[in-house]
Amino acid sequence: MKIKKVFPNNRRKVFEVIVDGKSLLFPYARLAVRPEADNRVTKAFVDSELGNEAFTYTLARGQEDSVHVDQILEYNRDPHYIRDLFIYKLTVEAQKCLAASSLSRREIIRRLGTSASQFYRLLDQTNYKKSVSQLLALLNLLDCEVEFVVKQKNSRTHSDTRVEIG
């Protein structure tokens, strides 16, 4: 994802960042180089040297740092970013399980009922168009146990819901 615009707001102590038409906030408190009352943000711009996937800001005393779009999306709990991160992690685990498996790739492809090209797209961690169900089928076939844990944030009770697959 590309950052379109960034606006510093020293009064609210946040950056307003436009990403894919959405306005997202990123607080100064999450920055590595933090502004202070006597060292405010003087400039912020979308950094083309970072592929427009980050913005760079400068403080009054000359310190400079950059913030990547992934940090902004993670802070704002963007559902598409969270889904892509989940798919990435499942894919990496599938790659590990495949390396440890004694099954041949041809046998896995046959048992999944798919083509070789689809199988290799399934193993590509940069492909986010695959479904979680495809990855779960592959992991199940590789004798991997997948467990999802659903927890309430900020809950004082410790009731978790576990869903085991495989």
Side-chain angles (χ1 to χ4, degrees), residues 102-155:
S102 60
L103 290 173
S104 71
R105 290 179 186 232
R106 186 177 299 236
E107 175 65 13
I108 293 168
I109 291 166
R110 184 190 67 74
R111 288 176 62 185
L112 282 174
T114 190
S115 67
S117 59
Q118 180 60 32
F119 172 71
Y120 289 109
R121 281 193 293 270
L122 191 58
L123 291 175
D124 178 8
Q125 70 263 18
T126 62
N127 174 18
Y128 296 106
K129 294 183 180 176
K130 57 192 160 203
S131 72
V132 172
S133 63
Q134 291 171 314
L135 284 167
L136 292 176
L138 174 60
L139 287 163
N140 187 41
L141 190 80
L142 295 170
D143 283 335
C144 294
E145 186 175 308
V146 178
E147 182 177 290
F148 296 98
V149 179
V150 179
K151 296 180 182 180
Q152 282 289 336
K153 283 186 176 183
N154 304 325
S155 176

Side-chain angles (χ1 to χ4, degrees), residues 5 10 13 15-17 19-20 29 67 85 91 97-98 103 107 115 124 129 136 144-145:
K5 294 181 182 177
N10 287 314
K13 298 180 178 153
F15 288 102
E16 183 180 346
V17 185
V19 179
D20 287 344
V67 177
L85 185 60
T91 304
C97 292
L98 179 65
L103 290 173
E107 175 65 13
S115 67
D124 178 8
K129 294 183 180 176
L136 292 176
C144 294
E145 186 175 308

